[in-house]
Amino acid sequence: MTGTGIGASIPRKEDYRFLTGTGRYVDDINLRGQAHACFVRSPHAHAEIKSIKTDKAKSASGVVAVFTGEDLTAGGLGPQPCGWSVSSKNGDPHVAPAFPLMADGKVRYVGENVALVVADTLAEAKSAAELVEVDYKPLSAVTSASTALNSDVQLHDDAPGNLSFDWELGDKAAADEAIANAKHVTKIEVVNNRVVPNAMEPRAALADYNPGTQELTLYTTSQNPHLARLVLTAFLQLAPEHKLRVVAPDVGGGFGSKVFIYADETAVAWAARATGRPIKWTAERSESFLTDRHGRDHVTTAELALDDNGKFLGLKVNTVADLGSYLSLLGTAIPTWLYGPLLAGPYTTPAIYCNVKGVFTNTAPTDAVRGAGRPEATYLLERIVDKAARETGIDQADLRKRNMIANDAFPYQTPVVHVYDSGDYGASLDKASDLADISGISGRRAKSEKAGKLRGIGISSYIEACGIAPSAAAGAIGGGVGGWESAQVRFNPTGSVEVFTGSHAHGQGHDTTFAQIVSEGLGVPIENVEIIHGDTQRHQFGMGTYGSRSLVVGGTAIVKAMDKIVDKGKKIAAHLMEAAEADIEFDGGNYTVVGTDKSLNIAEVAFAAYVPHNYPEGVEPGLDENAFYDPLNFSFPAGTHVCEVEVDPDTGEVEIVNYVAVDDFGTLINPLIVGGQVHGGIVHGVGQAMLEHTVYDSEGQLASGSFMDYAMPRADNVPSFNVDYTKTESPMNPLGAKGCGEAGAIASPPALINAIVDALGPLGVTNVDMPATPSRVWQAIQSARAAAE
Ligand code: MCN
């Protein structure tokens, strides 16, 4: 398509400011008289705090104030909430120990907040932080969830065995029966490694209190400023909702880690009011490593039952999920409701059972990181399906195809909650297989062998649930908030349009794609459309951005508001053209009297709405409409990714030589942006699968707490991707769209690991855990060779 409407691959409007250094991030904002904050953080993973002495720090040069947890509690601030209730299989609610804003007599992970120092300059705040004297009594720590379940180390008195919940989903008896009667059962144990989200811009806060109006403004790096305000006011008692303004201006990436409002930002906001000074805090990279919410960290065993035709009969999954030291906002939801219901994948497996134990350890709390639960489900499923193909001797693509849900089976009810909206899973698999030339792999393998290398190819057919979430569904399974989104579409008198959305863009290109939707829907030039978000004072309420929801939920809210604008405009146009409303058609920005050449542009109608000298009786002036949209279902993007690797058996080095992604995101608003999201997602997953290794040592120190120790993927770790699409429109939203922001991160880890296992298969290797670093791959090769001797 040409032009700027839906389907046009236009460059991002926002790139001008990002590429010219004129973006406005929290740290770019400076207020008169601002002071600076530095946190004193626990150096111990587990310790009692016997005393905290702040006198020396308080009298240090430039210090404005020093606060501890006692001050915050005395100031009325509550503990940090967990926003999702999960029940154990015996019906007990999950155990939710208090998560204080600052350590309360005990610290439970390295980096936990112990005190806050505020000073005139950052250097003074840092120096004074060194003078805060904390007397710790170190305790033993436990940093692995499986160990924690049977450890003498107890993190919380109210969580015996460090267990928060023992959750289940599905039909255990049916899965057991399928396994008992199967022709073949494939068993697997997989580790889904812990990852640190590492957004380009670290978390930051700048808080400003106006004693005249009692208004507190918090500029912060949030993916959902309205939700932050809700948590700060409803749960943390920071301020009344109408007296707190949260602004998330340009935000340099989040990847899930900025969904939550953290203790640091909360403490800074409270301290600004307590001291009467604006206070700024920007996390340093090592603080981010220690204190941003981490993701994944599952150990799972599973069994897949197959009949003699390779049909999946049942799947049984047991997962131990590391929750970290405390329950984060969505910490209970990610390894349960965002994981278990995805275990059907694109397949017809009739009996599925999943058990998840959520466990506390002396590590940073875990929560949503790009994909959040869905990468873990997909990784397990696509690894076990691949293993089953090897064990049964059925071709990997063929085994998947035999088990895929048929095209005419939609809406499709899985045995684990979800009803899939639409899809053609076989089409993506076929297209990806062709593009990756799977059938030609033996020739390429032979060539690699001649060069002393091993070559392998891996498939990952995924499905994911995005567009979180239908409010009733979220409420029914323990969610604390609704999943709707809101929009306001406002015509200005001169014909430009301002669109306010509760979604928040921090790299996803909403300024462009949302403007494309509005430009097409209202027939207004795209340069006359402004997308406004990220400020609780400018837009009434919204649920923010996560779970690839912004287009399918937020975009639909915009469509609904536009519908109201068009309808109201029709009344005005009918009056101005002296015609019946029923005879007016709206198309391409023009209201026309059917069958005549009488026509008015929507900009003329907008002007009349604000200068209503000649105006229909009973119609309000103005052209400004609001809509709230609550989705009826999730949307279910799906696809197949194929990865081809070459492994150097002497060094264990893996090179990704080809990567094909075929995704179904329904209608694409902007294929250029979607392609970018797919690229970013794949690299995110490749990082987890090949490089990113979060290591806590036995004392609970984060041994991989910097970019020197934690390898993020770089451009030379990936090839040029071959990205393509299939299309089944989602019937769940008027755009027919499905979300795309997480798909790459969900699909790519199993594609890569399956490719490595395929390459090493001839040596007898059946498993390589993520991250498949050269040393791990080399070791797997050595062990296989030793076993073969
Ligand atoms: N889009 C489209 N056509 C579709 C689907 C989406 O044109 N069929 C466009 C959308 O209009 C939007 C973009 O693609 O401009 C992503 O849309 P969507 O899938 O709705 O995802 P969200 O906008 O809700 O973004 C959230 C998602 C998540 S959950 C994470 S994590 C993530 C991601 O997006 N974090 C990101 N992508 C990121 N990209 C950047 N640069 N930075 C992050 O932190």
Side-chain angles (χ1 to χ4, degrees), residues 12 223 252-256 369-371 374 504 506-510 513-514 517 545-552 665-671 673-674 677 737-742:
R12 301 196 313 182
Q223 295 179 213
F255 307 109
V369 172
R370 202 173 198 166
R374 291 153 289 161
H504 185 277
H506 34 279
Q508 295 90 346
H510 299 171
T513 48
F514 287 3
I517 294 169
T545 287
Y546 41 86
S548 300
R549 68 189 303 273
S550 301
L551 176 63
V552 296
F665 302 132
T667 308
L668 305 184
I669 306 302
N670 183 328
I673 287 177
V674 171
Q677 286 293 317
K738 303 174 182 181
C740 73
E742 295 159 292

Side-chain angles (χ1 to χ4, degrees), residues 493 576 604-615 621-622:
L576 292 174
E604 297 172 90
V605 171
F607 184 78
Y610 288 97
V611 188
H613 295 163
N614 174 17
Y615 207 63

Side-chain angles (χ1 to χ4, degrees), residues 4 13 489-492 494-499 511 515 518-519 522-532 601-603:
T4 57
K13 288 173 90 175
V489 175
R490 176 191 296 163
F491 258 99
N492 293 320
T494 53
S496 62
V497 181
E498 288 174 292
V499 179
D511 289 14
V518 174
S519 173
L522 297 178
V524 176
I526 194 160
E527 55 275 16
N528 288 354
V529 181
E530 196 66 28
I531 307 298
I532 296 153
N601 186 266
I602 194 165

Side-chain angles (χ1 to χ4, degrees), residues 245-511:
R245 175 183 177 196
V246 178
V247 186
D250 286 331
V251 173
F255 307 109
S257 68
K258 293 169 182 168
V259 165
F260 341 101
I261 184 81
Y262 290 72
D264 305 322
E265 290 85 327
T266 309
V268 165
W270 177 83
R273 189 174 51 204
T275 59
R277 292 271 297 270
I279 301 177
K280 177 183 267 191
W281 168 78
T282 303
E284 296 187 355
R285 186 56 66 178
S286 40
E287 276 185 296
S288 303
F289 266 101
L290 289 172
T291 65
D292 283 3
R293 300 288 190 261
H294 295 176
R296 322 277 194 253
D297 211 341
H298 285 193
V299 177
T300 297
T301 54
E303 292 171 87
L304 178 66
L306 298 91
D307 72 11
D308 45 11
N309 287 320
K311 283 289 274 181
F312 303 156
L313 302 174
L315 176 71
K316 196 173 165 192
V317 174
N318 284 297
T319 295
V320 176
D322 195 329
L323 305 170
S325 44
Y326 299 95
L327 291 181
S328 178
L329 190 69
L330 302 174
T332 48
I334 308 300
T336 55
W337 291 108
L338 271 82
Y339 170 65
L342 271 297
L343 287 168
Y347 307 118
T348 53
T349 318
I352 299 177
Y353 174 74
C354 171
N355 172 238
V356 181
K357 291 185 172 60
V359 183
F360 295 110
T361 62
N362 294 109
T363 61
T366 56
D367 206 312
V369 172
R370 202 173 198 166
R374 291 153 289 161
E376 294 90 315
T378 303
Y379 182 68
L380 169 68
L381 202 54
E382 287 306 284
R383 288 292 317 279
I384 200 166
V385 166
D386 227 64
K387 194 167 183 229
R390 281 173 219 295
E391 289 177 356
T392 56
I394 303 172
D395 171 79
Q396 292 161 21
D398 183 22
L399 182 63
R400 287 177 167 85
K401 202 99 183 262
R402 288 185 199 188
N403 286 284
M404 279 177 168
I405 295 161
N407 293 352
D408 58 3
F410 295 95
Y412 182 83
Q413 173 70 61
T414 74
V416 275
V417 182
H418 281 311
V419 180
Y420 295 163
D421 53 354
S422 64
D424 184 347
Y425 307 142
S428 310
L429 177 59
D430 287 344
K431 199 169 187 178
S433 302
D434 285 349
L435 289 172
D437 187 20
I438 292 186
S439 54
I441 182 68
S442 52
R444 298 193 295 279
R445 223 192 284 273
K447 250 190 190 168
S448 295
E449 271 166 22
K450 272 192 192 146
K453 302 273 179 68
L454 299 164
R455 192 177 272 255
I457 197 157
I459 301 176
S460 161
S461 293
Y462 76 97
I463 181 155
E464 73 123 328
C466 73
I468 293 172
S471 296
I477 57 173
V481 289
W484 48 267
E485 195 46 88
S486 69
Q488 182 183 1
V489 175
R490 176 191 296 163
F491 258 99
N492 293 320
T494 53
S496 62
V497 181
E498 288 174 292
V499 179
F500 301 83
T501 168
S503 303
H504 185 277
H506 34 279
Q508 295 90 346
H510 299 171
D511 289 14

